[in-house]
Amino acid sequence: ADNTVGLLINQDGADASIELTGNGGIKFPGTQGASSDANTLDDYEEGVDNDIHITPAVDAEHGSYNTMVYTKIGRMVHVQLYYYITTLGSNEGSAYFTLPFTAKDGGSVSVYGPAIYTGTAYAQVLNTSTYGGTLICYVAQNDNKLYLKELTDAGASITIQLEQFADASSVGCSISYPI
């Protein structure tokens, strides 16, 4: 096999580019070497957490299915998770997952948008009489908790409570947020 790797730097007026040939790739150091230049991409990280838990705790969870994967590129984090509840139990409260990074403080007016950052979500066997709208996941600024919220057809916004799930429930979501 040809293991040749090349780096081509092309400077043609305003159309500068860097191209990797062969099996090359960009490698970042294990510890970020932060640059003072805002236009320098100096941080990249991937992670997998196969030991995620919902809070408040459930009686039994299916550990081999419960996974959170994330990719951090610069100041943006992209997260996908899947979680399966085997036995719910009797705990109650707003259901959330702990994220790997705290969301940025967007301030009252910010280029980063609203005070919360939202993503897509789904759930199976969600035990609630009010469900009839769209399920989303969200993280508030300055927080690292991922909550589920229902946006009802009537326009209400309701945070999903743990007791709204049932035995054999599952949830998944995908979100991107600044840090």
Side-chain angles (χ1 to χ4, degrees):
D2 182 5
N3 290 326
T4 303
V5 176
L7 174 64
L8 305 174
I9 300 175
N10 181 17
Q11 176 62 44
D12 186 14
D15 296 326
S17 65
I18 297 175
E19 179 182 343
L20 301 172
T21 62
N23 294 323
I26 298 172
K27 183 177 180 182
F28 290 89
T31 303
Q32 177 189 8
S35 170
S36 60
D37 180 358
N39 296 317
T40 300
L41 178 58
D42 57 8
D43 193 14
Y44 179 90
E45 179 181 332
E46 292 182 353
V48 176
D49 185 352
N50 292 316
D51 192 32
I52 64 170
H53 304 283
I54 198 166
T55 303
V58 296
D59 282 0
E61 53 196 15
H62 198 300
S64 63
Y65 290 127
N66 300 339
T67 301
M68 177 187 306
V69 296
Y70 71 88
T71 303
K72 178 179 175 286
I73 305 171
R75 297 182 312 201
M76 289 299 296
V77 178
H78 310 279
V79 175
Q80 295 83 37
L81 73 80
Y82 178 80
Y83 186 81
Y84 184 86
I85 299 169
T86 304
T87 307
L88 183 62
S90 60
N91 285 336
E92 297 181 351
S94 297
Y96 69 87
F97 299 92
T98 301
L99 293 167
F101 301 97
T102 299
K104 179 178 180 54
D105 179 356
S108 56
V109 178
S110 168
V111 297
Y112 292 102
I116 64 170
Y117 308 104
T118 61
T120 59
Y122 71 89
Q124 294 178 337
V125 195
L126 192 60
N127 186 15
T128 173
S129 59
T130 62
Y131 190 74
T134 302
L135 189 64
I136 65 166
C137 57
Y138 76 96
V139 59
Q141 59 185 357
N142 290 325
D143 202 355
N144 71 335
K145 294 180 179 81
L146 181 72
Y147 290 94
L148 299 172
K149 185 172 278 220
E150 174 194 357
L151 304 177
T152 69
D153 293 338
S157 175
I158 304 166
T159 299
I160 299 296
Q161 303 296 302
L162 184 64
E163 56 270 25
Q164 290 176 267
F165 288 97
D167 291 349
S169 293
S170 63
V171 62
C173 67
S174 177
I175 188 169
S176 296
Y177 63 99
I179 58 173

